[in-house]
Amino acid sequence: MSACVIYRQLARRGNVPQCYKDVLLARKLHGALCDPEAEADEQQKETEAAVHPGVYRLHYNPTLYRRPKKESDAAAIKAKIDEDAQGFIVATPSFRQQSNHYSVSSSRRLSSTKNKLLDLAFNKASEDRTPPRSFDNREAQPSEDDPYKPDPRAFQRCRPEYASTTLDLSQRPPAIRSERALQLLHQASVLKGSLKAADVAEFLRELGHLQPEQTSLARSDTRFIMLLRYSVENLRQFSHAQLLQVLESFVWLDLSPAHSILGQFESELIQRAPQMSLPQLLLAADLWRCLKKPVPQFLQQLYDSVELQHMGVAELVQLVYIMGEGRHCPKDLVGRIETILLRHLDKLEPEEVGTVCLGLFKSQTSLSERAVACLVDKAHSVVGEMTDFAMVNVMKLLRFSHLDHKVWLEVMAQEVPRRVPGMGVMGLMHVTLACSALHYRSDAILMSVAERLPSLAQQCRSKDSCKLLWSFGTLGIPPSQCPDLYSSLVAAMRQRKAEFEHYPEHLLTGLLGLAFVEQFPEDLLALALSPEFVSRALKKTQLELSKDLFTLDGTVGLELPHWTGPRLAVRPREEAAKMLWRYAQTDICQKPEVLEAERLLQDLLGGRQFVCKRMILPHTRSIDLLVHLDPTGIPLPVNVSLETAIIPEKSLSTSHAHKKLLAMVGVRLTEDLLTQMVSSEKDMEPSGLSHQSSPPALLRLEADEGVNQMRVESELATTRPRMLTDTPTKLNKTLVKLAIQVSNRNHYCYQSEQLMGLHALKRRQLQLAGYRVVELNHWEWFPLLRKRQAEKLAYLHCKIYGSTD
C-alpha cells in the first residue's frame, strides 16, 4: 500500500506520530502539484480500501528499506533532498533500470505504437554509457594550467555574416530563474499529449536559458525527459527553424553527446538536408560541433548539397572549419574549394587565414603547391596582425604540405622569439614540430623555445614532451647546447608515464628523439621494450609501430653493450626487417642516383660481385652499397647471391693491379705513366684525403662542363696513383668494409650540411659496427649525373680509396 494510503488509514485510528504526519503531508502536497493524476489514483485507492476494509494489498517497495551504509550514501541522500527542495523531480530508477540513464515509463496519453517507437529511441540495448569521441577526436585538450588557451572559434567574430551560420558560444542567452524553469516543466507535464511542435520547441528554447550550474538538475528531471520524448514524437512537424532552435537549446542545456535522442535528430536532418539552405546546413553542422557529437553522415549530406559558385567569404571559411573538425574533405570538393579560396583570398582577415590553414591541416586536404604558396603569401602579408594561434596554424599547414616557404620561415625566425614568452606548451610544440618536418633548423627559433620550455615542462602532456624531444633530436640540437631542455622533458615523460598505456606511440617518439642525440634513459627504454608494452603497441596496426620498436631495439643492441633489460622478440624483428626491405626495393633501390652509383661501382671494381646493395643495419631504414677491400686495397666479392667467390689472384704485381684499375676508368696507359706509378711507391707521401672531402682538382672538374677525356685522364693519373701505392702501407691487415651511402637533400637540414637525426644515428652506428662510411653527397653526386662517365668514375675512385687512407 502506498505511503499516502497508509497515512490515511493510520490517521483514522489516531496512531500517526506528528513528525510522520508532517513528512507525508509535504510529499502529498508536492505530488499533487507535480502530478494531479497521481493524486487522483491515490484517492481511488483510498476509496477501495474503505469499501473493502477486509482486503489487504501489499505493495513491495524495496527502496523503503534501504539505509545509507556510508557517509557518501548519506551525502547523496542529502543532495537528493536538496534537489527535491528546489522543486526538480529527479528520477530514481530501480536497480534494473539504473543501467540506462534515459529510461522512463511511458505516458498514459501516448498510444502503444508511439511508445514502442520512442522506447527504441531511448532504450537501445547497445547504447554505450561512455560518451563517444568528440568532433575534435584526435587532439587532447590542453591542461587547465596551460596559459596557452586559444579560441578556435574567434574567427566567427570577424564579420557579421557568421551570425546566420554559427552559434556564438560567448553570447549566452539571458538567464532565467529556476522558478521559471519549474513553471515551464509543470506546464509541459500538465499539457502532455496536447503539446504541439511549436510548444515543445518553445519550452526547450526557454529552458535553454537556465544558468549553467542549474542545467544538470533540469536534465535529470522526469518532466524534462518527458519533454524530450515529445520532441522526438514531433520531429516531422518541426519547421527547419524550429528544429535548429531545439538543437541550439540542447547546446545550452549541455546535453551529453551520447544521448540517444541526438541520433533521432541527426537522422531527421540528414533527410531534410536537400531542402535546407546553405546557411541552415552550416548552422546545423556548427551546432553538432558545439554538442561535440560526430555526425559524418550529415556532413556528407552537407558536402553533397554545397554549391560553391555563390558562396561568400564567411560561408567558405565556416565550411573549411567544419571540414577540419570533421577530419574529412571529399576528394571531389577539393578542387572547387581551391578555386573559390583563391578568388576570395584577398578578402580574408588574419584570423580567417589561420582558420583556413587549420581546417586544411585537420582534414588532410592537399591543395596544389601554387594554392598553398598563395595562402602563405597572404599570411605573410598580415603576420603582424595574426594571433599566436593563427600563426601556429600556418606552420601546421606547411608541415602537412612539406612546402618550404622561405620568406615565411625567415619571418618566423623573428616572430617566434618575440612571441615565445606569451606562448604555451602546445603552441611551442607545434612550431618546433613544423620546423623538424620542414628540416628547418633555425637556432633563433629553437633556442628561444628551449629557454622557455623548462619552466613549462610540468604542463606538458605526454604528447607534447615526446614530440618536442623528437623535434629537437631530429634537428640535431645536442644536449650540451641546451642542457636543461632534455632533462626537464624526460622528467615530464616520467611524470606522465601512465598515459603511455593508451598512447604507446608517444613514448616511442620521445625515445627515438633522445636516441638521435645519444640520450638513453634506461628506465623508459625498459618500459618501451617490455613484452606488455610491445604487445600493446603492436595492436595499433594503423600506426605501424613495429618500425619504431625495431629501430629502438637495434639502437639499444649497438649503443648499450651493457644492456641487460628486455629486447624485442625475434619474430617482430624479422617482420619489421622484411617490411622495410620490401619498401626499400620498390622505392629507394629504384632511385636513379642509386642505380647509377651501383652500376659505376661495378664497372670500377670489376663486376657485380664486388658491390652489394643491402640494408646493412635494417633498423636504420635505408640502404647502403657494401664494398669489401682486402688489406692491399684489392676489392673482394660481397654479393652473397653468388655461389662461388671470384677473388683476384694474390700474385698480381702492383703495376698489374694499377693497370687493371686504371683501365676500368678509361685512363690510357703509357710507359711514362707506368714508370711514374711504380716510382711513386718509394718517394710519394700520402695525399691525406678523407671520405668527407674530395681533391680540389676533382671538384674543379665537376664545375667545368667542357672538360675533355684527356684532362680526366691527366687528373686521375696525377692524384690516384699516390693513394693506390700508399694503400698497402696505411691500412690495417684486416678486411676493410665500406658502407657507401648515396644521400639526398632529405638527409640534411634545409640549406645546411647538418645531418637529420635518423641519418646521424645511422652514421654513428655504422662506425660502431666496424664500417667505414663513404658518402656520395647530393651536392656533389647529383650534378655529376649529367656529366661524362669518366668524370663520375674518377669521383667514385677518389671517394673509395680516399676513405682508406
Side-chain angles (χ1 to χ4, degrees), residues 147-148 388 391-392 416 419-425 427-428 431 452 456:
Y148 181 68
D388 297 342
M391 183 190 74
V392 170
V416 172
R419 297 177 184 237
V420 156
M423 296 177 67
V425 170
L428 299 176
V431 167
R452 169 74 170 152
L456 301 176

Side-chain angles (χ1 to χ4, degrees), residues 538 544-551 568-583 615 618-619 621:
L538 293 179
E544 294 186 355
L545 297 182
S546 59
K547 295 188 294 186
D548 291 344
L549 288 166
F550 186 41
T551 300
L568 195 62
V570 175
R571 182 176 177 180
R573 282 208 307 265
E574 291 178 346
E575 290 176 351
K578 289 178 181 177
M579 177 175 59
L580 290 169
W581 177 238
R582 283 196 299 268
Y583 168 75
M615 303 176 80
H619 67 275
R621 312 183 189 186

Side-chain angles (χ1 to χ4, degrees), residues 266-324:
E266 180 189 1
S267 299
E268 181 66 21
L269 282 168
I270 290 174
Q271 293 180 2
R272 296 191 185 198
Q275 291 80 42
M276 296 174 72
S277 66
L278 179 59
Q280 288 176 328
L281 289 171
L282 290 173
L283 176 58
D286 196 59
L287 292 172
W288 287 124
R289 168 63 187 135
C290 295
L291 286 165
K292 299 180 181 179
K293 178 175 173 59
V295 285
Q297 293 181 348
F298 172 76
L299 292 182
Q300 187 59 50
Q301 286 291 327
L302 166 63
Y303 302 144
D304 293 343
S305 304
V306 164
E307 294 183 3
L308 296 177
Q309 57 268 27
H310 304 299
M311 183 176 288
V313 177
E315 293 169 333
L316 170 67
V317 177
Q318 179 66 16
L319 177 64
V320 177
Y321 167 76
I322 291 298
M323 282 167 32

Side-chain angles (χ1 to χ4, degrees), residues 213-284:
E213 58 271 13
Q214 293 178 332
T215 56
S216 60
L217 293 176
R219 290 196 308 270
S220 58
D221 194 294
T222 56
R223 295 166 294 182
F224 176 76
I225 298 174
M226 180 199 68
L227 192 58
L228 293 183
R229 296 171 68 93
Y230 282 109
S231 72
V232 173
E233 185 185 31
N234 287 278
L235 264 179
R236 298 292 176 85
Q237 283 71 47
F238 285 136
S239 65
H240 295 339
Q242 289 171 344
L243 192 62
L244 295 173
Q245 178 181 299
V246 171
L247 209 58
E248 180 180 338
S249 70
F250 291 161
V251 175
W252 299 125
L253 288 166
D254 197 20
L255 205 65
S256 168
H259 204 301
S260 57
I261 194 176
L262 296 182
Q264 305 297 311
F265 276 77
E266 180 189 1
S267 299
E268 181 66 21
L269 282 168
I270 290 174
Q271 293 180 2
R272 296 191 185 198
Q275 291 80 42
M276 296 174 72
S277 66
L278 179 59
Q280 288 176 328
L281 289 171
L282 290 173
L283 176 58

Side-chain angles (χ1 to χ4, degrees), residues 23 36 204 209 213 238 247 285 333 393 502 518 551 599 612 717:
V23 172
L204 289 172
H209 289 219
E213 58 271 13
F238 285 136
L247 209 58
L333 197 61
N393 291 339
H502 303 286
E518 301 183 74
T551 300
R599 183 184 68 82
C612 182

Side-chain angles (χ1 to χ4, degrees), residues 101-138:
H101 296 285
Y102 311 118
S103 175
V104 295
S105 59
S106 61
S107 170
R108 295 190 188 98
R109 299 290 182 89
L110 295 177
S111 68
S112 59
T113 304
K114 292 178 181 177
N115 272 324
K116 289 179 182 178
L117 294 175
L118 294 176
D119 287 340
L120 288 176
F122 279 84
N123 305 324
K124 292 180 180 178
S126 60
E127 180 179 359
D128 189 359
R129 294 180 60 184
T130 60
R133 285 189 173 186
S134 66
F135 231 103
D136 192 4
N137 55 7
R138 297 190 186 181

Side-chain angles (χ1 to χ4, degrees), residues 519-530:
Q519 298 292 299
F520 305 102
E522 296 192 8
D523 58 328
L524 296 177
L525 285 170
L527 171 63
L529 294 176
S530 63

Side-chain angles (χ1 to χ4, degrees), residues 438-479:
L438 297 173
H439 299 186
Y440 182 67
R441 175 169 171 165
S442 168
D443 285 354
I445 295 176
L446 297 174
M447 290 302 101
S448 63
V449 173
E451 291 175 5
R452 169 74 170 152
L453 279 174
S455 63
L456 301 176
Q458 296 298 318
Q459 302 171 13
C460 286
R461 304 167 297 172
S462 61
K463 174 181 179 178
D464 299 324
S465 56
C466 293
K467 290 196 172 184
L468 283 165
L469 287 170
W470 166 270
S471 301
F472 279 91
T474 297
L475 293 171
I477 304 297

